Amino acid sequence: MIDMESGVHTYSVAMTLTKNEFYEIDAHLSVLRTEENYWTGGKRCTCHDFCEQGIVLYLSRFKSGGHQLYRLKVRIEPCRVLGSSSPLALYQPNRKSYQQLVKTADRMLKKIKVPRSIDDMKICRQDMTVDLYFQTEEPVKQYVRACQKGMVLPHYKQERFRDAEHKAKYAEEANRGSCRQTCKSASFFVYNKSAQLKMTGRDTDVLKELHILRLEAELKRAALKKRLGEQADNYHYLKEGARQAKKVVEWYLKRIFKNADGEHLRFEDAVIMMKQSGWKEKTRKQITYLLRKVSDSRSLNAAIGKTKQKYGLSAGQMERLLIKLRKLDISPITLPNTSKNGRLKSLMRLMKECF
């Protein structure tokens, strides 16, 4: 049995500013990074003045419909704002803690002339998070790899860190330890949280002993309304988001591992089990080819496409092959033969066992 925690990691609120409000805030910021577009007259400032207290600000100026618009977005890490020193703390809101959160954040933002309380701004993003705690690092690495090899959802694309974007200290290392799918309204992020803490210098002696897989559904306002329903205010969006974090993460896992939620075995062990299954030689040959292609390809979608092309299979025939494999409780996403783990349960099954 492993441990699991869930809740809200961060959320963002936003508001439209007047021209005077924009320049007054801008004058009070110690800006870490400014991006300006000469052709459009646009400007975006990222302010980390309050990062250690759990708040990052994004101040932007841009043209829309021939008009100049000004906007402020505030990203909030609730547990940090409330004084938690643990980078693993996930927020489970109640009325009292939320009121304290608003009071503390407003006090900081008032110093830079933000004209409105965060409670009066519109919530525009929320990160619903599940942390899985393991006894060793190996399963964390293999589950990240499994998610990297899983299905890419319709209208989503795989996203990687790039050095020029400065979103990760070491982009190549971050890409090895993470998997991210994104679309216009949402993202799903799976990563080795322990490795990320080490990379950012936030791993204490206690944290160095932990091995954590983080699964994070990052939903923008339209997706929030769709998943959580229309809520009365920011507090209720947070409360409902924390309550449904596990359900939303499972929704993503169910689609990433569609017809592929069996156990992850070493490739060689999966081949042996298929030989003992009583399947026809033709079926074994096709599925063995699929397993090889999954290991070679960036996603299960790509491996399925290559297998269909190789053997002239229809979508229905391909799905039936996956279902056959699933009935043996084998995932087409196998472990490397060098893996220290002989087999791993599917993430969906693992999460169900934690409750």
Side-chain angles (χ1 to χ4, degrees), residues 15-17 21 25 72 109 112-117 121:
M15 66 174 290
T16 301
L17 300 169
E21 288 169 343
I25 294 172
L72 172 69
L109 297 179
I112 57 170
K113 306 302 180 182
V114 173
R116 189 181 299 176
S117 167
M121 300 182 198

Side-chain angles (χ1 to χ4, degrees), residues 5 17 32 38 46 51 76 97 121 148 160 166 172-173 203 209 214 228 259 274 277 288 290 300 324:
E5 293 183 4
L17 300 169
L32 177 68
Y38 174 82
T46 304
C51 183
I76 303 160
S97 70
M121 300 182 198
Q148 290 171 338
R160 293 172 64 81
H166 306 290
E172 187 177 343
E173 186 178 342
D203 58 332
E209 301 300 318
R214 173 159 286 188
L228 307 181
N259 290 328
M274 285 191 291
S277 67
T288 300
L290 171 66
L300 186 53
K324 274 183 171 290

Side-chain angles (χ1 to χ4, degrees), residues 11 55 81 95 102-103 105 109 124 139 141 147 177 212 222 227-229 231 234 243 269 310 315 331 346 351:
Y11 77 103
I55 289 179
V81 174
R95 182 61 74 178
V102 171
K103 183 179 178 181
L109 297 179
C124 59
K141 290 181 177 179
C147 290
I212 307 152
R227 297 287 169 221
L228 307 181
Q231 300 296 319
N234 292 351
R243 188 181 73 83
D269 295 332
K310 170 79 172 176
S331 171
S346 71
M351 287 181 62

Side-chain angles (χ1 to χ4, degrees), residues 221-341:
R221 188 170 181 84
L224 275 175
K225 288 183 177 181
K226 183 177 180 180
R227 297 287 169 221
L228 307 181
E230 185 82 43
Q231 300 296 319
D233 50 32
N234 292 351
Y235 168 68
H236 285 92
Y237 271 112
L238 288 172
K239 192 171 181 65
E240 191 64 15
R243 188 181 73 83
Q244 292 199 38
K246 178 175 174 285
K247 181 180 178 181
V248 173
V249 166
E250 285 181 333
W251 183 91
Y252 276 97
L253 291 177
K254 185 176 180 179
R255 282 150 184 81
I256 288 172
F257 297 108
K258 182 182 178 182
N259 290 328
D261 58 349
E263 289 198 335
H264 303 284
L265 307 182
R266 293 192 186 103
F267 176 84
E268 57 190 15
D269 295 332
V271 171
I272 290 171
M273 282 192 68
M274 285 191 291
K275 286 181 179 179
Q276 297 170 346
S277 67
W279 292 343
K280 294 179 181 178
E281 176 63 25
K282 179 181 176 181
T283 301
R284 292 203 305 270
K285 187 176 180 180
Q286 290 171 346
I287 294 182
T288 300
Y289 181 85
L290 171 66
L291 266 54
R292 286 201 185 98
K293 291 297 109 181
V294 173
S295 296
D296 296 341
S297 305
R298 288 193 64 179
S299 68
L300 186 53
N301 312 62
I304 287 172
K306 292 172 184 176
T307 306
K308 286 166 64 178
Q309 185 178 25
K310 170 79 172 176
Y311 294 102
L313 302 174
S314 67
Q317 288 172 319
M318 190 70 244
E319 186 171 355
R320 285 192 287 275
L321 284 180
L322 287 169
I323 291 172
K324 274 183 171 290
L325 198 58
R326 190 185 188 197
K327 285 180 179 178
L328 278 187
D329 197 23
I330 300 174
S331 171
I333 304 170
T334 57
L335 304 172
N337 288 334
T338 56
S339 172
K340 296 175 184 176
N341 292 105

Side-chain angles (χ1 to χ4, degrees), residues 125-175:
R125 171 176 156 170
Q126 188 174 167
D127 299 348
M128 283 160 276
T129 305
V130 172
D131 282 345
L132 298 174
Y133 289 73
F134 295 86
Q135 294 181 345
T136 64
E137 189 180 29
E138 180 67 13
V140 177
K141 290 181 177 179
Q142 296 305 333
Y143 280 127
V144 168
R145 179 181 177 274
C147 290
Q148 290 171 338
K149 296 287 187 180
M151 297 288 286
V152 179
L153 277 63
H155 311 299
Y156 281 69
K157 63 179 180 179
Q158 292 176 325
E159 195 173 74
R160 293 172 64 81
F161 290 103
R162 294 179 176 85
D163 288 321
E165 294 174 340
H166 306 290
K167 291 182 179 179
K169 192 173 182 180
Y170 304 108
E172 187 177 343
E173 186 178 342
N175 287 326

